[in-house]
Amino acid sequence: MTGVSGRRAPRSAQVPTPRAVDSGTEDDLRALFGHSMAVFASLAGPAHMLEAANPAFFAAIGGPERTRTGVPLGRLMPELVAQGFIGLLDRVYRTGKAHVGRNARVILGEGEKAREAFFDFTYEPRLDGGGNVMGVRVIGVETTQVQHAQRLTAEHRALLEQIARQAPLPEVLEGMARAIEELAPEEVLVSVLLADADGGHLRHGAAPSLPDFYNRAIDGIATGEGVGSCGTAAHRRRPVIVTDIATDPFWDDFRDLAGKAGVAACWSTPILARDGSLLGTFAMYHRTPRTPREADLALARVFADTAALAIERHRAEQARRAAEAREQAARDDLAFLLNASTALSSDLDAPQTLNRLATACVPRLAPLGTVDVVEGGRVRRVATAAPTRHQQDLLASHIPVYDAADDAVARVLASGVTEVARRTPSGPGPWHELGVTGYVCLPLLDRGTAFGAVTLLSTGEHAFDGHTVALAEELTRRAALAARNARQYTHRAALARDLQAGLLLPDLPRVPGAKVATYYHPAGEGLDIGGDFYDVFPLEGGRWAFLLGDVCGRGAIAATTTALVRHTARAVAPLLSGPEAVVAAVNQALVNRPAGHGTGFVTLVHGLLTPTAHGLDVELVRAGHTMPLHLDARGTVRTVDVPGALLGIGPETHLTAHRLLLRPDESLLLYTDGITEARDADGEQFGEERLVAALADAPPRTADPHHVIDALTRAVRAFTGDHGIDDDQAVLVLTATRPEE
């Protein structure tokens, strides 16, 4: 009967071509596929007596012991009976009709010597001169090697397809090993070892049929001369053939291990990359001592190249993933630092900045964290971070000693250098209760001097690596800069407030016959001293002087000019006869000021108040300032139009005095241009018309200047909304009281 053909090859696909597609590979394939030869036998009679056969027939059926004629084929090859081949001969002899078989599978020999073979054959009847069947002629071609080649090609293509779709390397290597073991005509055990990064050692890759104890024992062997077949092949970068492990000196250190594993021969081929670097080794083990044939060596070379392709693809994929992981880690670190930096600088409050520092570190950099600063020669713990409230309380209860030699914080504060240890911090502390296993202590530096320290604590399996320490150092550096900026801002803001307070009245005086109210709102964040000012002070004879002005600019120069104007006015007012003379003296002082004290101009309204039985007699001058407003008791608002030029421009003032009477419940309102030039979201100014309308639409006034200011400021805030203000705003209101008041 006909046999079963070999395993069907998978459909072709776009697969990578092995690197060694050259004349050497073609020779390897020719050695693997072999050359087929025709077999011939002539059988006589119904017993199928073997009369004659060619050498190829005897070579195919099993060797010298079967090289004889004159014997029935069923007796010479009894295994053919059960496989149905003798029955086919009987039918051809009986019917006289030929039989053709294609890729017929036959088991030749019995027991351990049996082998699988494939044939294309024809059984033809032998006829005598009368046309009678006298025997059967057997003509065939052994196709065993062709079948094996087809199966080998299918397996090889399947491996290439696996490599193309980037199947896991262990899966590819194990599949390759099993395919070779299955396809080899004799028992073979395949092993693939992978070289480590420096090529100094070989690691287990795949060996599905070798014992586990053997694989574990050779995992990690060094590459070098005389280190078994694989270590030597890796060292030499060329194949090493050991035909008998029991006698070969390369196996002196592994002979007992090989004996326990039941292997007696090992042929190892190095797996090399395109640049010649070592990727691993491909080894074929045998149970008995054995010398390789050319087909064996060709098989090793073909699959070593295939393994090289798989390993190189795997390494390239690993490198790509590692690069992506590093890139992602870098992006994560950058995002962490950016987010933390944004949080640290979200406001200019130094204690809050250090609290945010501790929060940013935990748990991103460590399970626990503290921040300590030096204040007044002592260490103060200003921030803690931990998963639980109990842990936070334990951390807060421990305060380092500033000058203790055994305290990590004290050492870092003294040295300004980061300290890292895989142990609990030295010195007393709640380390046991918190389960601390290591720490990193980092200085907070301001111009090279440590003003504080950040301590990050490990617990459990957590440990600090170089990357975490570097990230913590960068975050600490940014936090130190943010804390320094916050402290500087706090100091500058306090200084600005103190200076501004010195330029304004700390408390309003009690003026007979009048009520006085003021309003001052600086622009910006309060770091710069504003240029708006006001003042009310007494003179002889029951008179009172008042002034409100605006200095061009802000900051220290504006403060210097403001002080010059106020102090000059207070100094000369008791000595001069009227507002015109006082303002002229102020102008002269501005003109004479040193260049380093500023050159900006000043606008000013200055006047005198004299209480009378009918109200307040007012005499005033206006030097380039916004025009004062006169508010009567009925709600009418009149502009006090008084000509006058800016001060500080030249020696001439050209001022004109103006007199008016404030009757009871009438007010005089002085304001700076920060009121009228306040802008809304569209950039439009509040203006004088809105100012007058706001005052005119206010509820009926009583003799209280604060109501006037409230009506004005509400109108301005409603107009500007959340837009804020761009210039300082100052208002001075003088209201005449009734005689009984």
Side-chain angles (χ1 to χ4, degrees), residues 505-542:
L505 289 174
D507 295 302
L508 292 175
R510 296 178 62 86
V511 179
K515 288 185 178 180
V516 182
T518 60
Y519 171 77
Y520 180 79
H521 184 49
E525 298 180 344
L527 287 179
D528 289 331
I529 304 164
D532 292 6
F533 62 93
Y534 53 81
D535 199 1
V536 179
F537 55 91
L539 298 173
E540 292 181 354

mmCIF file of all heavy atoms in Angstrom, residues 505-542:
data_model
loop_
_atom_site.group_PDB
_atom_site.id
_atom_site.type_symbol
_atom_site.label_atom_id
_atom_site.label_comp_id
_atom_site.label_asym_id
_atom_site.label_seq_id
_atom_site.Cartn_x
_atom_site.Cartn_y
_atom_site.Cartn_z
ATOM 1 N N LEU A 505 -0.266 109.084 56.512
ATOM 2 C CA LEU A 505 -0.631 109.372 57.905
ATOM 3 C C LEU A 505 -0.960 108.084 58.629
ATOM 4 O O LEU A 505 -1.813 107.315 58.169
ATOM 5 C CB LEU A 505 -1.838 110.305 57.944
ATOM 6 C CG LEU A 505 -1.589 111.756 57.506
ATOM 7 C CD1 LEU A 505 -2.917 112.502 57.462
ATOM 8 C CD2 LEU A 505 -0.624 112.449 58.452
ATOM 9 N N PRO A 506 -0.330 107.808 59.741
ATOM 10 C CA PRO A 506 -0.692 106.594 60.490
ATOM 11 C C PRO A 506 -2.104 106.694 61.050
ATOM 12 O O PRO A 506 -2.833 105.711 61.069
ATOM 13 C CB PRO A 506 0.372 106.528 61.584
ATOM 14 C CG PRO A 506 0.859 107.932 61.736
ATOM 15 C CD PRO A 506 0.772 108.561 60.384
ATOM 16 N N ASP A 507 -2.458 107.863 61.513
ATOM 17 C CA ASP A 507 -3.810 108.113 62.032
ATOM 18 C C ASP A 507 -4.249 109.496 61.572
ATOM 19 O O ASP A 507 -3.459 110.457 61.556
ATOM 20 C CB ASP A 507 -3.820 108.066 63.565
ATOM 21 C CG ASP A 507 -3.477 106.681 64.093
ATOM 22 O OD1 ASP A 507 -4.195 105.732 63.725
ATOM 23 O OD2 ASP A 507 -2.481 106.576 64.835
ATOM 24 N N LEU A 508 -5.513 109.604 61.183
ATOM 25 C CA LEU A 508 -6.031 110.900 60.741
ATOM 26 C C LEU A 508 -6.231 111.823 61.944
ATOM 27 O O LEU A 508 -6.734 111.400 62.991
ATOM 28 C CB LEU A 508 -7.362 110.710 60.011
ATOM 29 C CG LEU A 508 -7.269 109.990 58.660
ATOM 30 C CD1 LEU A 508 -8.665 109.754 58.091
ATOM 31 C CD2 LEU A 508 -6.436 110.781 57.677
ATOM 32 N N PRO A 509 -5.861 113.097 61.797
ATOM 33 C CA PRO A 509 -6.032 114.030 62.927
ATOM 34 C C PRO A 509 -7.494 114.455 63.073
ATOM 35 O O PRO A 509 -8.291 114.341 62.138
ATOM 36 C CB PRO A 509 -5.158 115.215 62.517
ATOM 37 C CG PRO A 509 -5.187 115.194 61.019
ATOM 38 C CD PRO A 509 -5.229 113.745 60.633
ATOM 39 N N ARG A 510 -7.807 114.917 64.244
ATOM 40 C CA ARG A 510 -9.141 115.481 64.490
ATOM 41 C C ARG A 510 -9.088 116.968 64.159
ATOM 42 O O ARG A 510 -8.399 117.748 64.814
ATOM 43 C CB ARG A 510 -9.552 115.288 65.947
ATOM 44 C CG ARG A 510 -9.709 113.821 66.336
ATOM 45 C CD ARG A 510 -10.061 113.682 67.808
ATOM 46 N NE ARG A 510 -11.333 114.325 68.095
ATOM 47 C CZ ARG A 510 -12.528 113.761 67.955
ATOM 48 N NH1 ARG A 510 -12.602 112.513 67.508
ATOM 49 N NH2 ARG A 510 -13.633 114.408 68.252
ATOM 50 N N VAL A 511 -9.795 117.371 63.095
ATOM 51 C CA VAL A 511 -9.782 118.750 62.611
ATOM 52 C C VAL A 511 -11.057 119.442 63.097
ATOM 53 O O VAL A 511 -12.165 118.990 62.769
ATOM 54 C CB VAL A 511 -9.695 118.786 61.081
ATOM 55 C CG1 VAL A 511 -9.712 120.235 60.579
ATOM 56 C CG2 VAL A 511 -8.434 118.054 60.605
ATOM 57 N N PRO A 512 -10.959 120.519 63.869
ATOM 58 C CA PRO A 512 -12.163 121.229 64.324
ATOM 59 C C PRO A 512 -13.001 121.723 63.141
ATOM 60 O O PRO A 512 -12.462 122.261 62.171
ATOM 61 C CB PRO A 512 -11.604 122.407 65.126
ATOM 62 C CG PRO A 512 -10.241 121.965 65.546
ATOM 63 C CD PRO A 512 -9.729 121.112 64.424
ATOM 64 N N GLY A 513 -14.315 121.490 63.200
ATOM 65 C CA GLY A 513 -15.223 121.937 62.152
ATOM 66 C C GLY A 513 -15.199 121.065 60.923
ATOM 67 O O GLY A 513 -15.853 121.401 59.922
ATOM 68 N N ALA A 514 -14.502 119.939 60.975
ATOM 69 C CA ALA A 514 -14.397 119.103 59.770
ATOM 70 C C ALA A 514 -14.277 117.636 60.154
ATOM 71 O O ALA A 514 -13.850 117.291 61.258
ATOM 72 C CB ALA A 514 -13.194 119.523 58.933
ATOM 73 N N LYS A 515 -14.694 116.817 59.209
ATOM 74 C CA LYS A 515 -14.428 115.381 59.282
ATOM 75 C C LYS A 515 -13.547 115.014 58.088
ATOM 76 O O LYS A 515 -13.767 115.506 56.969
ATOM 77 C CB LYS A 515 -15.723 114.579 59.246
ATOM 78 C CG LYS A 515 -16.536 114.690 60.532
ATOM 79 C CD LYS A 515 -17.753 113.781 60.476
ATOM 80 C CE LYS A 515 -18.543 113.842 61.793
ATOM 81 N NZ LYS A 515 -19.729 112.958 61.771
ATOM 82 N N VAL A 516 -12.586 114.161 58.348
ATOM 83 C CA VAL A 516 -11.599 113.806 57.318
ATOM 84 C C VAL A 516 -11.655 112.290 57.082
ATOM 85 O O VAL A 516 -11.708 111.507 58.035
ATOM 86 C CB VAL A 516 -10.183 114.221 57.738
ATOM 87 C CG1 VAL A 516 -9.173 113.891 56.629
ATOM 88 C CG2 VAL A 516 -10.146 115.700 58.076
ATOM 89 N N ALA A 517 -11.640 111.897 55.815
ATOM 90 C CA ALA A 517 -11.571 110.471 55.450
ATOM 91 C C ALA A 517 -10.587 110.313 54.299
ATOM 92 O O ALA A 517 -10.491 111.194 53.424
ATOM 93 C CB ALA A 517 -12.939 109.934 55.072
ATOM 94 N N THR A 518 -9.866 109.208 54.319
ATOM 95 C CA THR A 518 -8.897 108.940 53.253
ATOM 96 C C THR A 518 -9.066 107.507 52.737
ATOM 97 O O THR A 518 -9.609 106.630 53.421
ATOM 98 C CB THR A 518 -7.450 109.112 53.748
ATOM 99 O OG1 THR A 518 -7.222 108.200 54.826
ATOM 100 C CG2 THR A 518 -7.196 110.542 54.197
ATOM 101 N N TYR A 519 -8.563 107.299 51.544
ATOM 102 C CA TYR A 519 -8.556 105.957 50.925
ATOM 103 C C TYR A 519 -7.252 105.821 50.149
ATOM 104 O O TYR A 519 -6.843 106.732 49.427
ATOM 105 C CB TYR A 519 -9.748 105.804 49.979
ATOM 106 C CG TYR A 519 -9.712 104.546 49.139
ATOM 107 C CD1 TYR A 519 -10.046 103.302 49.677
ATOM 108 C CD2 TYR A 519 -9.331 104.604 47.792
ATOM 109 C CE1 TYR A 519 -10.014 102.153 48.891
ATOM 110 C CE2 TYR A 519 -9.297 103.463 47.008
ATOM 111 C CZ TYR A 519 -9.636 102.241 47.567
ATOM 112 O OH TYR A 519 -9.608 101.103 46.805
ATOM 113 N N TYR A 520 -6.594 104.657 50.339
ATOM 114 C CA TYR A 520 -5.361 104.405 49.598
ATOM 115 C C TYR A 520 -5.336 102.939 49.183
ATOM 116 O O TYR A 520 -5.512 102.042 50.007
ATOM 117 C CB TYR A 520 -4.124 104.728 50.441
ATOM 118 C CG TYR A 520 -2.834 104.466 49.689
ATOM 119 C CD1 TYR A 520 -2.378 105.377 48.749
ATOM 120 C CD2 TYR A 520 -2.099 103.303 49.905
ATOM 121 C CE1 TYR A 520 -1.209 105.138 48.035
ATOM 122 C CE2 TYR A 520 -0.939 103.056 49.200
ATOM 123 C CZ TYR A 520 -0.497 103.983 48.264
ATOM 124 O OH TYR A 520 0.656 103.741 47.560
ATOM 125 N N HIS A 521 -5.132 102.689 47.902
ATOM 126 C CA HIS A 521 -5.065 101.320 47.391
ATOM 127 C C HIS A 521 -3.903 101.232 46.403
ATOM 128 O O HIS A 521 -3.968 101.797 45.309
ATOM 129 C CB HIS A 521 -6.371 100.944 46.691
ATOM 130 C CG HIS A 521 -6.395 99.502 46.224
ATOM 131 N ND1 HIS A 521 -6.049 98.459 47.032
ATOM 132 C CD2 HIS A 521 -6.727 98.958 45.026
ATOM 133 C CE1 HIS A 521 -6.173 97.320 46.370
ATOM 134 N NE2 HIS A 521 -6.577 97.609 45.136
ATOM 135 N N PRO A 522 -2.809 100.535 46.775
ATOM 136 C CA PRO A 522 -1.652 100.464 45.873
ATOM 137 C C PRO A 522 -1.908 99.493 44.726
ATOM 138 O O PRO A 522 -2.636 98.511 44.865
ATOM 139 C CB PRO A 522 -0.531 99.962 46.779
ATOM 140 C CG PRO A 522 -1.228 99.165 47.826
ATOM 141 C CD PRO A 522 -2.557 99.837 48.049
ATOM 142 N N ALA A 523 -1.300 99.737 43.604
ATOM 143 C CA ALA A 523 -1.355 98.805 42.473
ATOM 144 C C ALA A 523 -0.318 97.705 42.668
ATOM 145 O O ALA A 523 0.607 97.820 43.468
ATOM 146 C CB ALA A 523 -1.087 99.558 41.172
ATOM 147 N N GLY A 524 -0.461 96.609 41.915
ATOM 148 C CA GLY A 524 0.522 95.524 41.957
ATOM 149 C C GLY A 524 0.440 94.736 43.244
ATOM 150 O O GLY A 524 -0.576 94.695 43.930
ATOM 151 N N GLU A 525 1.577 94.068 43.578
ATOM 152 C CA GLU A 525 1.630 93.151 44.708
ATOM 153 C C GLU A 525 2.218 93.785 45.953
ATOM 154 O O GLU A 525 2.526 93.110 46.911
ATOM 155 C CB GLU A 525 2.445 91.908 44.331
ATOM 156 C CG GLU A 525 1.826 91.120 43.183
ATOM 157 C CD GLU A 525 2.656 89.907 42.827
ATOM 158 O OE1 GLU A 525 3.834 89.856 43.250
ATOM 159 O OE2 GLU A 525 2.148 89.016 42.148
ATOM 160 N N GLY A 526 2.436 95.076 45.916
ATOM 161 C CA GLY A 526 2.916 95.745 47.115
ATOM 162 C C GLY A 526 4.408 95.729 47.302
ATOM 163 O O GLY A 526 4.913 96.102 48.350
ATOM 164 N N LEU A 527 5.176 95.258 46.264
ATOM 165 C CA LEU A 527 6.623 95.260 46.413
ATOM 166 C C LEU A 527 7.205 96.657 46.220
ATOM 167 O O LEU A 527 8.237 96.988 46.785
ATOM 168 C CB LEU A 527 7.255 94.300 45.395
ATOM 169 C CG LEU A 527 7.072 92.812 45.678
ATOM 170 C CD1 LEU A 527 7.718 92.005 44.580
ATOM 171 C CD2 LEU A 527 7.654 92.448 47.024
ATOM 172 N N ASP A 528 6.566 97.479 45.370
ATOM 173 C CA ASP A 528 7.047 98.827 45.108
ATOM 174 C C ASP A 528 6.238 99.835 45.895
ATOM 175 O O ASP A 528 5.028 99.686 46.083
ATOM 176 C CB ASP A 528 6.942 99.154 43.615
ATOM 177 C CG ASP A 528 7.953 98.371 42.800
ATOM 178 O OD1 ASP A 528 9.018 98.056 43.354
ATOM 179 O OD2 ASP A 528 7.659 98.077 41.628
ATOM 180 N N ILE A 529 6.919 100.897 46.322
ATOM 181 C CA ILE A 529 6.253 101.963 47.062
ATOM 182 C C ILE A 529 5.537 102.853 46.063
ATOM 183 O O ILE A 529 6.103 103.244 45.035
ATOM 184 C CB ILE A 529 7.290 102.775 47.858
ATOM 185 C CG1 ILE A 529 8.070 101.827 48.770
ATOM 186 C CG2 ILE A 529 6.627 103.881 48.645
ATOM 187 C CD1 ILE A 529 9.331 102.414 49.296
ATOM 188 N N GLY A 530 4.283 103.151 46.352
ATOM 189 C CA GLY A 530 3.512 103.964 45.430
ATOM 190 C C GLY A 530 3.919 105.425 45.461
ATOM 191 O O GLY A 530 4.584 105.903 46.384
ATOM 192 N N GLY A 531 3.476 106.150 44.406
ATOM 193 C CA GLY A 531 3.799 107.567 44.315
ATOM 194 C C GLY A 531 2.669 108.479 44.771
ATOM 195 O O GLY A 531 2.812 109.706 44.732
ATOM 196 N N ASP A 532 1.528 107.910 45.178
ATOM 197 C CA ASP A 532 0.409 108.726 45.650
ATOM 198 C C ASP A 532 0.583 109.015 47.143
ATOM 199 O O ASP A 532 1.020 108.139 47.905
ATOM 200 C CB ASP A 532 -0.919 107.996 45.426
ATOM 201 C CG ASP A 532 -1.252 107.877 43.947
ATOM 202 O OD1 ASP A 532 -0.407 108.250 43.117
ATOM 203 O OD2 ASP A 532 -2.353 107.389 43.622
ATOM 204 N N PHE A 533 0.205 110.229 47.553
ATOM 205 C CA PHE A 533 0.340 110.559 48.974
ATOM 206 C C PHE A 533 -0.696 111.619 49.347
ATOM 207 O O PHE A 533 -1.291 112.272 48.477
ATOM 208 C CB PHE A 533 1.750 111.077 49.272
ATOM 209 C CG PHE A 533 2.101 112.351 48.541
ATOM 210 C CD1 PHE A 533 1.897 113.601 49.128
ATOM 211 C CD2 PHE A 533 2.628 112.308 47.247
ATOM 212 C CE1 PHE A 533 2.212 114.770 48.457
ATOM 213 C CE2 PHE A 533 2.941 113.481 46.578
ATOM 214 C CZ PHE A 533 2.736 114.712 47.180
ATOM 215 N N TYR A 534 -0.911 111.725 50.632
ATOM 216 C CA TYR A 534 -1.790 112.766 51.161
ATOM 217 C C TYR A 534 -1.273 113.147 52.545
ATOM 218 O O TYR A 534 -0.505 112.405 53.165
ATOM 219 C CB TYR A 534 -3.247 112.293 51.232
ATOM 220 C CG TYR A 534 -3.438 110.989 51.972
ATOM 221 C CD1 TYR A 534 -3.483 110.961 53.366
ATOM 222 C CD2 TYR A 534 -3.563 109.783 51.287
ATOM 223 C CE1 TYR A 534 -3.638 109.774 54.046
ATOM 224 C CE2 TYR A 534 -3.723 108.593 51.952
ATOM 225 C CZ TYR A 534 -3.760 108.593 53.339
ATOM 226 O OH TYR A 534 -3.908 107.415 54.016
ATOM 227 N N ASP A 535 -1.732 114.320 53.040
ATOM 228 C CA ASP A 535 -1.301 114.756 54.371
ATOM 229 C C ASP A 535 -2.270 115.829 54.871
ATOM 230 O O ASP A 535 -2.835 116.590 54.078
ATOM 231 C CB ASP A 535 0.124 115.320 54.322
ATOM 232 C CG ASP A 535 0.779 115.350 55.711
ATOM 233 O OD1 ASP A 535 0.116 114.911 56.676
ATOM 234 O OD2 ASP A 535 1.930 115.796 55.807
ATOM 235 N N VAL A 536 -2.465 115.865 56.163
ATOM 236 C CA VAL A 536 -3.262 116.895 56.848
ATOM 237 C C VAL A 536 -2.515 117.236 58.135
ATOM 238 O O VAL A 536 -2.235 116.329 58.932
ATOM 239 C CB VAL A 536 -4.695 116.405 57.157
ATOM 240 C CG1 VAL A 536 -5.461 117.505 57.896
ATOM 241 C CG2 VAL A 536 -5.421 115.990 55.884
ATOM 242 N N PHE A 537 -2.187 118.543 58.320
ATOM 243 C CA PHE A 537 -1.431 118.906 59.528
ATOM 244 C C PHE A 537 -1.845 120.316 59.987
ATOM 245 O O PHE A 537 -2.296 121.149 59.178
ATOM 246 C CB PHE A 537 0.070 118.825 59.289
ATOM 247 C CG PHE A 537 0.566 119.632 58.118
ATOM 248 C CD1 PHE A 537 0.979 120.954 58.297
ATOM 249 C CD2 PHE A 537 0.621 119.071 56.847
ATOM 250 C CE1 PHE A 537 1.451 121.691 57.227
ATOM 251 C CE2 PHE A 537 1.094 119.811 55.774
ATOM 252 C CZ PHE A 537 1.508 121.120 55.955
ATOM 253 N N PRO A 538 -1.703 120.602 61.286
ATOM 254 C CA PRO A 538 -2.168 121.887 61.827
ATOM 255 C C PRO A 538 -1.152 123.010 61.628
ATOM 256 O O PRO A 538 0.054 122.777 61.539
ATOM 257 C CB PRO A 538 -2.356 121.590 63.312
ATOM 258 C CG PRO A 538 -1.345 120.522 63.597
ATOM 259 C CD PRO A 538 -1.247 119.690 62.345
ATOM 260 N N LEU A 539 -1.692 124.248 61.571
ATOM 261 C CA LEU A 539 -0.874 125.453 61.533
ATOM 262 C C LEU A 539 -1.335 126.388 62.649
ATOM 263 O O LEU A 539 -2.355 126.146 63.306
ATOM 264 C CB LEU A 539 -1.014 126.139 60.169
ATOM 265 C CG LEU A 539 -0.539 125.330 58.947
ATOM 266 C CD1 LEU A 539 -0.897 126.070 57.663
ATOM 267 C CD2 LEU A 539 0.956 125.070 59.019
ATOM 268 N N GLU A 540 -0.596 127.471 62.854
ATOM 269 C CA GLU A 540 -0.973 128.442 63.885
ATOM 270 C C GLU A 540 -2.273 129.158 63.501
ATOM 271 O O GLU A 540 -2.628 129.246 62.323
ATOM 272 C CB GLU A 540 0.144 129.476 64.059
ATOM 273 C CG GLU A 540 1.421 128.907 64.657
ATOM 274 C CD GLU A 540 2.475 129.976 64.837
ATOM 275 O OE1 GLU A 540 2.223 131.116 64.392
ATOM 276 O OE2 GLU A 540 3.543 129.666 65.401
ATOM 277 N N GLY A 541 -2.936 129.637 64.506
ATOM 278 C CA GLY A 541 -4.155 130.398 64.295
ATOM 279 C C GLY A 541 -5.359 129.535 63.991
ATOM 280 O O GLY A 541 -6.336 130.024 63.413
ATOM 281 N N GLY A 542 -5.315 128.245 64.330
ATOM 282 C CA GLY A 542 -6.463 127.371 64.110
ATOM 283 C C GLY A 542 -6.626 126.912 62.671
ATOM 284 O O GLY A 542 -7.633 126.292 62.330
#
